[in-house]
Amino acid sequence: MRRFLVLLTLLVSACSSDNPAAPKGSTSTKPPQFVAKWGHDGTAAGELRYPDGVAVAPNGAVYVADTGNSRIQRFDSNGGYQTEWGYLGIDDGLFYAPEAVAMDTAGKVYVTDTFNHRVEVFDANGQFLRKWGAIGSAQGEFSNPSAIAVDDSGHVFVADRDNHRVQVFALDGTFLRKWGGKGAGTGQFDTPRGLALDRLGRVYVSDSNNHRVQAFTSTGAFVPAWGGAGKGDGQFDLAWGVAADAAGNVYVADSNLNRLQKFTKDGSFVAKWGTLGTGDGQFTFPTGVAVDGSGTIYVADSNNRRVQKFR
């Protein structure tokens, strides 16, 4: 609620550098090391306001959902500003607090236009291509969609947050299937905010208000779940962004505890890093997380208005 009110007011993986012999994306128990950061509060190019989502293209470009500024910004892998598009509005190519961004294999960019209750699709430079969705609870409709991911087979997975479900679409927006429903049982959700895919076809969903992560097959069959409310290793206080690396490790932004946690694909705790603060490697309400092909991790450090990079 605190962040929702802030946004309305605005209107608008993991290979430690200490162990170079370890394979990329290995299940190292050492936390990754801080590499770089960029962004600070503002509306100019390269500045950020409450960024919630981050994604990395195969060419290394980093796309950031600059939520408080209702735009998408693209950077190089070291934070060099490249381009941006969008501003507050309801027309094609505009946004109202977009929370997540993802790419398909052809380089098209998919954005959850959260408070406009839709998905918008662009080319790599921000040229509008298409959109789908409207507010509602029928199939293909959304209530504040948050996370988005696209698999190699051309399926678009959307965490339909306030409908407490996952919906799956073809690349053109054709509805395919859905699963979930509000609750705390197996396969149910209470406000899912993050979603990621791994190379095995698993779908990881941060079931935020149930303080857990649930994993499914691409057709929605339940696999495992892990977590629980608390401050211990493997527990969460508002799990948000999720990402998976090439080795199958899963990273979760544990937002209210201002840390990132790393797990195996089946939920065994591996490592954690971060504390509350503004220094390098510290966080103030981290949300989005992404991992590139070399195992480098990018985190949307939302209330610090920046992106941090780790390796």
Side-chain angles (χ1 to χ4, degrees), residues 91-133:
D91 294 334
D92 294 350
L94 303 184
F95 305 110
Y96 188 0
E99 287 194 3
V101 58
M103 277 73 65
D104 67 17
T105 56
K108 296 183 182 67
V109 181
Y110 296 73
V111 180
T112 52
D113 186 10
T114 302
F115 289 175
N116 281 328
H117 312 286
R118 64 187 181 185
V119 170
E120 294 193 81
V121 186
F122 305 85
D123 70 15
N125 295 312
Q127 181 66 41
F128 175 82
L129 299 175
R130 58 184 172 272
K131 65 184 177 183
W132 69 85

Side-chain angles (χ1 to χ4, degrees), residues 4-287:
F4 180 80
L5 289 174
V6 168
L7 287 170
L8 286 179
T9 300
L10 288 171
L11 279 182
V12 215
S13 179
C15 171
S16 171
S17 59
D18 294 341
N19 185 12
K24 294 174 181 178
S26 65
T27 307
S28 170
T29 58
K30 294 182 179 180
Q33 303 300 303
F34 171 84
V35 176
K37 63 186 176 185
W38 68 86
H40 54 84
D41 185 52
T43 61
E47 296 178 333
L48 300 166
R49 281 192 171 174
Y50 304 102
D52 272 346
V54 60
V56 187
N59 67 2
V62 180
Y63 292 80
V64 179
D66 187 8
T67 307
N69 284 320
S70 289
R71 66 184 175 185
I72 301 298
Q73 295 198 68
R74 192 182 76 206
F75 303 86
D76 66 27
S77 61
N78 294 312
Y81 172 83
Q82 294 183 338
T83 190
E84 67 184 81
W85 67 89
Y87 53 86
L88 180 64
I90 62 173
D91 294 334
D92 294 350
L94 303 184
F95 305 110
Y96 188 0
E99 287 194 3
V101 58
M103 277 73 65
D104 67 17
T105 56
K108 296 183 182 67
V109 181
Y110 296 73
V111 180
T112 52
D113 186 10
T114 302
F115 289 175
N116 281 328
H117 312 286
R118 64 187 181 185
V119 170
E120 294 193 81
V121 186
F122 305 85
D123 70 15
N125 295 312
Q127 181 66 41
F128 175 82
L129 299 175
R130 58 184 172 272
K131 65 184 177 183
W132 69 85
I135 189 168
S137 58
Q139 64 184 35
E141 296 179 330
F142 301 111
S143 181
N144 295 320
S146 52
I148 191 166
V150 187
D151 69 14
D152 292 343
S153 299
H155 301 110
V156 183
F157 297 78
V158 181
D160 186 9
R161 185 178 72 203
D162 292 339
N163 281 324
H164 311 285
R165 64 186 181 184
V166 171
Q167 295 199 71
V168 187
F169 302 86
L171 294 178
D172 64 359
T174 301
F175 173 83
L176 299 175
R177 57 185 171 271
K178 62 183 178 182
W179 69 84
K182 187 169 184 180
T186 298
Q188 295 180 314
F189 303 112
D190 187 349
T191 320
R193 295 180 185 274
L195 184 151
L197 311 175
D198 71 10
R199 293 189 175 183
L200 299 176
R202 283 187 174 185
V203 183
Y204 299 91
V205 183
S206 60
D207 186 9
S208 295
N209 288 357
N210 283 324
H211 307 289
R212 65 183 179 183
V213 172
Q214 296 195 70
F216 304 86
T217 67
S218 61
T219 57
F222 176 78
V223 187
W226 67 87
K231 298 181 180 180
D233 294 348
Q235 296 180 315
F236 303 108
D237 186 355
L238 196 67
W240 196 295
V242 186
D245 68 19
N249 301 300
V250 180
Y251 302 81
V252 184
D254 193 5
S255 296
N256 279 337
L257 294 178
N258 302 293
R259 65 182 182 180
L260 269 287
Q261 295 197 67
K262 176 182 176 182
F263 302 87
T264 68
K265 64 182 176 63
D266 295 315
S268 295
F269 174 82
V270 176
K272 65 184 177 184
W273 75 96
T275 57
L276 175 63
T278 60
D280 296 347
Q282 295 183 310
F283 303 107
T284 305
F285 207 82
T287 50

